[in-house]
Amino acid sequence: KSLRLKQIFTSKSLEFREAVASILGWKLDFQPNGRVKCTSILYPTHIGAEGEEVENSITFDGEQGTMKVSGGPKSVFAGEIRESVEFWVEGRREVPGLLAALTLEFYERQTAHKI
């Protein structure tokens, strides 16, 4: 019975993550201690110039009330989103506003290359 419940939970968790990604455009990875790593489906991990995997994600720590950008504060990704972070998080304390603004920005970048 316990195994079956675990299978159902795993299935529903995956279903939830896929629904969030398809509706909001962000993959969520739930980590220990209340952290959630968010990766935009419009700006996924890619291979860098030197063949290394470059992750573009933001990790929110609900317990600490902090946010960390992959690659650190001096990474290319951090530089690209800095203005939005300053406006939405530092200025207004609105993480949903940040994620929405980044989704629109990444969408515009992606579609600009297709035109």
Side-chain angles (χ1 to χ4, degrees), residues 45-64:
T45 297
H46 64 278
I47 303 301
E50 298 176 21
E52 77 285 6
E53 190 174 82
V54 178
E55 184 178 294
N56 301 306
S57 65
I58 305 168
T59 300
F60 296 96
D61 186 330
E63 291 182 8
Q64 300 293 320

Side-chain angles (χ1 to χ4, degrees), residues 30-80:
F30 295 92
Q31 301 176 332
N33 302 323
R35 289 178 295 205
V36 179
K37 180 167 77 171
C38 302
T39 307
S40 173
I41 62 172
L42 299 171
Y43 198 151
T45 297
H46 64 278
I47 303 301
E50 298 176 21
E52 77 285 6
E53 190 174 82
V54 178
E55 184 178 294
N56 301 306
S57 65
I58 305 168
T59 300
F60 296 96
D61 186 330
E63 291 182 8
Q64 300 293 320
T66 60
M67 178 185 115
K68 291 187 179 165
V69 177
S70 60
K74 297 195 185 298
S75 69
V76 172
F77 183 60
E80 291 176 347

Side-chain angles (χ1 to χ4, degrees), residues 14-40:
L14 180 60
E15 192 177 313
F16 172 75
R17 290 181 64 224
E18 289 173 353
V20 169
S22 69
I23 295 169
L24 300 178
W26 290 88
K27 290 182 186 175
L28 304 180
D29 292 312
F30 295 92
Q31 301 176 332
N33 302 323
R35 289 178 295 205
V36 179
K37 180 167 77 171
C38 302
T39 307
S40 173

